[in-house]
Amino acid sequence: MPPLTNTPVYFGNFLVTPQVFHLTAHSFALVNIKPLLPGHVLVSPRRPAKRLSDLNHAEISDLFLTVQQVGRMVERFYGASSLNIAIQDGQAAGQSVPHLHTHIIPRQSLDLEDQGGSDAIYGMLEGEDGDVGKHLWEKSNRRPKFPSVDDSSRQPRTAEEMADEARKLADEMKQQQMNDGSSHSSV
């Protein structure tokens, strides 16, 4: 299955078209290069706005309706019982790619018990594990800004693995929209 669009989709400076599984008039959803937990995806505005306050009313509405739809789908698809939905709005808040994005992370009871409990996800988002920009930078075969850190337990996924997940999630989004009769549809 080819990408959802022939138009290039960028997340910051990174071309992510094959990772995109849902497009709307103002937003896109993509699989994560290094998910913190299975099903960890991102939703971002199509316009490369750096901060939430940079979005206009139509973009804000579309972004959060998309977060709601994608969240419902990944929760069901990954058999989760809850979600973490997070925005790191600006560099000081931990944003690693200067393009606004919302993390959607499916959660299950006791899924991080061995790492200190359910709140461990916040440290993961703030730390090396959640540095999406660093992982994309390294994957693009450019020289990283910071020295490499041994993170052997969580390897970046291949382009093929991400494209495969994107196809599966795109099919799920279509099915969900048909079942829901959603008025907020993809383009």
Side-chain angles (χ1 to χ4, degrees), residues 25-46:
H26 299 288
S27 303
F28 64 93
L30 69 152
V31 299
N32 200 333
I33 188 169
K34 218 169 170 185
L36 295 174
L37 291 171
H40 176 187
V41 298
L42 306 173
V43 175
S44 192
R46 291 178 87 159

Side-chain angles (χ1 to χ4, degrees), residues 157-168:
R157 299 186 297 168
T158 66
E160 294 78 23
E161 290 169 324
M162 290 186 292
D164 183 52
E165 183 181 19
R167 282 190 292 275
K168 290 175 186 172

